[in-house]
Amino acid sequence: MDVRTRVGCYAWIERDGAVLLSRWRGMTLPDGRVARPGWTLVGGGIEPGETPEQAAVREVHEESGYAVRLTGVLTTDAWSGVDDRDPAGRRVWQAVRIVFTAEVESGQLTVEEEGSSDDVAWVPLGELATLPCLSLVDTAWRAAGGPGLPETALGVGPVDEATVGRMRSLVERARQARAVPGEPGPGETGVRPGVTVVAVDGPSGSGKTVLARALARDLGAPLLHMDDLYPGWDGLAASPALLADQVLDPLARGERAAYRRWDWHAGDWASDPVEVPEPPGGVLVVEGCGSSVGPAGERAAVRVWVDAEPALRMRRGVARDGEAFRPHWERWAAQEAQVFAADGTRGRADLVVDTSPGAG
């Protein structure tokens, strides 16, 4: 693969219970997919000849108008993935991010002109959860001692907005189907008990998470990841029943639900159960392999199947997780083929999506 590395330098600047954020303006890719705008830390890429400190100070001034003094290193992180602008999926971006703490010394809050951001603001920490934020905000806030962001506040990767629109239409149709005919009687709410469950299923590396996160954001719905329910690398077949027993069945009865989360580092179940948030709009989005298989599929009102060309899916997975995980991916792919074939999952989907380049 063609690996390209980008080093970004950012600043966590907090005062009076607010943090300084800039709004990345987003972009539309050549294939028509949209990377949605989102709020992030002030900062950007290092230029040749700069130190990370110089880059952070320069970028903060360009994006906010402030001259700042760096006070320390808050955190660092890195991520990698297939370059969305490469149709063949053979170019990989490796992003390394350094986050400094900083204080404002002088200047006036000013929006950058003709740059990658189109707004800048002091955002109260209590309002972060209401905004679409990029993952860097969550990483930095946790490093600064905060609780971090809920899933629905995190931004999404490049997404086909037409596909998300079709998903929203299916959800609305399912919600209408749950309406109680006629006028609600005493004590009735006008809808049948339970929750409208949307399952975004399909093989690994197909792009399920991006679509599910965009849908959950649009609907204001909680998002549950099957990754939390697999009992290890050989646990795909067991996961649909775990999802149904711990989450979907209780919700169908109008009860609160909680599930045991698999700790991938410890190789065992975490001790504390995870409560499923009350779906404010009556919709729960579940994404991941097996989310519409067997008993889980029986509880899903909308089933979406997301797929892509197998070699591309493998490249996406290895680019994200590293070459050392290829044997795990191959082992997982064998389980997918067996589980999905026995269940006929794709054939029961309400919507089939192909994220391969050039797919209609």
Side-chain angles (χ1 to χ4, degrees):
M1 290 184 178
D2 175 13
V3 181
R4 304 187 179 187
T5 301
R6 177 185 185 273
V7 178
C9 304
Y10 303 86
W12 176 268
I13 309 173
E14 184 180 341
R15 73 179 187 190
D16 301 328
V19 61
L20 183 64
L21 299 182
S22 64
R23 184 179 182 269
W24 180 63
R25 64 173 67 247
M27 63 185 296
T28 300
L29 299 176
D31 62 6
R33 288 179 301 155
V34 175
R36 294 179 173 185
W39 290 88
T40 188
L41 301 186
V42 285
I46 192 171
E47 294 183 353
E50 285 185 319
T51 66
E53 291 82 1
Q54 289 170 336
V57 170
R58 173 185 54 77
E59 284 284 349
V60 170
H61 184 263
E62 290 177 357
E63 292 190 355
S64 71
Y66 287 131
V68 299
R69 179 178 67 87
L70 305 183
T71 58
V73 175
L74 177 62
T75 189
T76 64
D77 78 346
W79 62 268
S80 60
V82 170
D83 186 351
D84 290 297
R85 293 166 293 186
D86 174 20
R90 297 186 182 278
R91 184 186 305 142
V92 173
W93 275 114
Q94 171 74 29
V96 178
R97 303 185 292 192
I98 305 170
V99 180
F100 297 91
T101 52
E103 297 176 347
V104 174
E105 290 193 317
S106 62
Q108 183 175 356
L109 191 64
T110 306
V111 179
E112 177 182 33
E113 294 186 7
E114 300 181 358
S116 60
S117 61
D118 59 12
D119 198 3
V120 63
W122 289 99
V123 178
L125 295 174
E127 296 180 10
L128 286 179
T130 67
L131 300 175
C133 295
L134 304 191
S135 63
L136 185 60
V137 178
D138 177 67
T139 299
W141 196 14
R142 292 178 188 275
L149 293 170
E151 180 75 29
T152 51
L154 296 177
V156 300
V159 64
D160 184 338
E161 296 287 10
T163 295
V164 179
R166 290 195 292 272
M167 293 167 69
R168 289 197 304 267
S169 296
L170 287 171
V171 174
E172 183 57 32
R173 194 179 310 163
R175 294 175 69 181
Q176 292 176 0
R178 290 183 59 244
V180 177
E183 292 294 326
E188 292 182 344
T189 62
V191 296
R192 295 185 178 89
V195 172
T196 300
V197 177
V198 184
V200 184
D201 207 335
S204 296
S206 58
K208 300 181 295 297
T209 304
V210 169
L211 287 171
R213 185 174 284 165
L215 179 67
R217 176 72 195 180
D218 289 355
L219 299 177
L223 176 59
L224 189 153
H225 299 283
M226 291 296 291
D227 281 353
D228 289 339
L229 293 170
Y230 304 132
W233 281 102
D234 296 304
L236 175 56
S239 62
L242 293 173
L243 173 64
D245 292 345
Q246 298 180 70
V247 178
L248 304 185
D249 289 349
L251 291 178
R253 297 191 295 266
E255 303 171 358
R256 298 300 299 270
Y259 60 90
R260 298 177 68 198
R261 180 184 63 82
W262 182 259
D263 186 330
W264 288 87
H265 296 287
D268 200 355
W269 297 107
S271 56
D272 296 328
V274 179
E275 288 198 10
V276 178
E278 186 83 24
V283 176
L284 172 68
V285 180
V286 184
E287 74 84 21
C289 304
S291 58
S292 65
V293 168
E298 295 172 4
R299 290 296 190 189
V302 176
R303 295 180 291 268
V304 180
W305 175 268
V306 187
D307 208 340
E309 190 267 327
L312 174 59
R313 293 193 286 101
M314 180 62 75
R315 287 197 296 273
R316 288 171 176 171
V318 172
R320 184 188 68 192
D321 297 336
E323 186 64 36
F325 280 85
R326 184 183 292 273
H328 293 300
W329 270 74
E330 292 172 345
R331 191 162 115 220
W332 188 262
Q335 295 175 71
E336 290 176 344
Q338 182 177 6
V339 169
F340 289 143
D343 180 71
T345 316
R346 187 185 192 280
R348 293 186 292 103
D350 301 296
L351 176 65
V352 175
V353 180
D354 190 338
T355 64
S356 303

